[in-house]
Amino acid sequence: MRPVPFIAAVMAICSAATVGAAEPATAPEFIDTFAKIFGEHPGIRKGHAKGFCVAGDFKGDTVAQAFSSSMLFSGDTYPLLGRFSMAGGNPKAAENSRSPRGLALQIKLNNGELQHFALLSTPMFGAKDPESFLGLLKTLIPGPDGKPDLTKVAAYRAAHPDTQPQAKYLADTAPPASYASTPYFGLHSFMLSNKTGQQQAVRWQLQPVDGIKGLTAAEIAAKPTEFLQQRLAERLQQGPVQFKLELVLAEAGDNLPDPSVQWPASRKTLQVGVVTLRSQGDNACDNINFDPNVLSAGISPSADPILAMRSAAYAISFGKRLTGH
């Protein structure tokens, strides 16, 4: 699948809802709700507002050619731009908070195609579909005291079990001590097609070569601090930061369209490449819309409705950012 033109993406907004829902969620509703939760921040991304660019390269492993004809797995090395970020729309988010971290990548292939990855530090998404996720977000809109009603949030989660796994993971897992020492997960299912047309459903994830390290209890309990960009800069002075790209291979019966459900831990995992980050990339990624549906030939999206919704929501955010809104 090739990159979706910006105008076409915007025109698709009205039809980007889940088919069959009584009151389908729309991309503009997500953007409006984010603004109500986090406030208006002109010229800044509506989601993952706080972040910074990185640059490096990607080398795919030809072992993946058994599953996909994408040039991503040709064995060649391709340049990439990426962005580490804090989840949410707060450009001043506390970096010791129990919230997801993000890593987005754009890889430029030799044939002119682009391959995007949009990953999160939790192995599951916060809801099963756009409607459930939008409902959860609406409970987080602050009241007159400037804070969300936590009893309302708890009641919604109790009534929507699909919103519970990610919250539990965040409560049980220490926030990353560094962007370089946490795994990142693609969340959604994708379809790979090889040269014979055979298809394989997969999810992808990045495992840090540096190993996994979380903040200490004292660091989590401390006042909000900023350290992630500085720690990465210090780490890069020692040499490149690397992540192993892994494919998790689906088996019959695995839930493909629901990103809130993890597949069994017994699923076969295959290492298919290495992401190497060599520098902080100044502002090089600022005008990249890291739509996860921008995929090279040989890779296509699944029927996950949240994955489909992200294109329209990203397009609106991108347009607002370009026009300073």
Side-chain angles (χ1 to χ4, degrees), residues 18-234:
T18 305
V19 176
E23 295 183 2
T26 66
E29 285 183 283
F30 280 99
I31 300 300
D32 292 344
T33 303
F34 263 65
K36 291 176 181 177
I37 297 172
F38 301 106
E40 295 284 359
H41 303 284
I44 294 177
R45 295 173 194 263
K46 305 310 175 187
H48 290 264
K50 184 177 187 177
F52 59 89
C53 304
V54 289
D57 51 69
F58 173 82
K59 183 175 183 179
D61 194 317
T62 56
V63 68
Q65 291 180 0
F67 301 98
S68 175
S69 59
S70 171
M71 284 193 66
L72 189 69
F73 306 117
S74 66
D76 293 333
T77 299
Y78 302 111
L80 70 77
L81 289 174
R83 186 175 184 267
F84 285 113
S85 62
M86 298 287 296
N90 181 4
K92 297 182 179 180
E95 296 182 0
N96 58 344
S97 62
R98 289 187 179 275
S99 63
R101 278 53 170 163
L103 174 56
L105 301 172
Q106 182 185 84
I107 300 170
K108 292 188 176 182
L109 307 183
N110 289 342
N111 62 356
E113 291 183 333
L114 298 176
Q115 173 68 39
H116 282 189
F117 292 93
L119 308 108
L120 213 58
S121 61
T122 62
M124 73 292 288
F125 192 66
K128 66 179 181 179
D129 56 36
E131 289 69 39
S132 183
F133 186 46
L134 182 61
L136 176 63
L137 290 177
K138 287 182 176 180
T139 68
L140 299 174
I141 296 174
D145 62 351
K147 300 177 181 180
D149 184 342
L150 296 183
T151 59
K152 185 186 297 185
V153 177
Y156 188 87
R157 289 195 187 280
H160 298 80
D162 59 296
T163 66
Q164 298 173 18
Q166 188 189 61
K168 185 178 187 306
Y169 181 89
L170 290 169
D172 295 343
T173 307
S178 165
Y179 277 132
S181 60
T182 187
Y184 297 92
F185 303 90
L187 302 176
H188 308 289
S189 304
F190 293 84
M191 303 302 299
L192 304 186
S193 301
N194 62 17
K195 292 182 179 179
T196 67
Q198 183 178 4
Q199 289 196 322
Q200 170 68 50
V202 302
R203 287 179 177 173
W204 42 61
Q205 57 195 32
L206 291 176
Q207 295 293 340
V209 173
D210 284 3
I212 299 172
K213 182 180 179 181
L215 295 176
T216 65
E219 289 173 321
I220 297 170
K223 291 182 178 180
T225 56
E226 296 200 6
F227 58 88
L228 288 171
Q229 187 167 359
Q230 180 61 32
R231 285 189 181 180
L232 187 72
E234 293 170 354

Side-chain angles (χ1 to χ4, degrees), residues 188-190 259 291-293 300-311:
H188 308 289
S189 304
F190 293 84
D291 180 350
N293 291 290
S300 58
S302 68
D304 181 338
I306 289 182
L307 178 59
M309 176 67 75
R310 291 177 74 172
S311 285

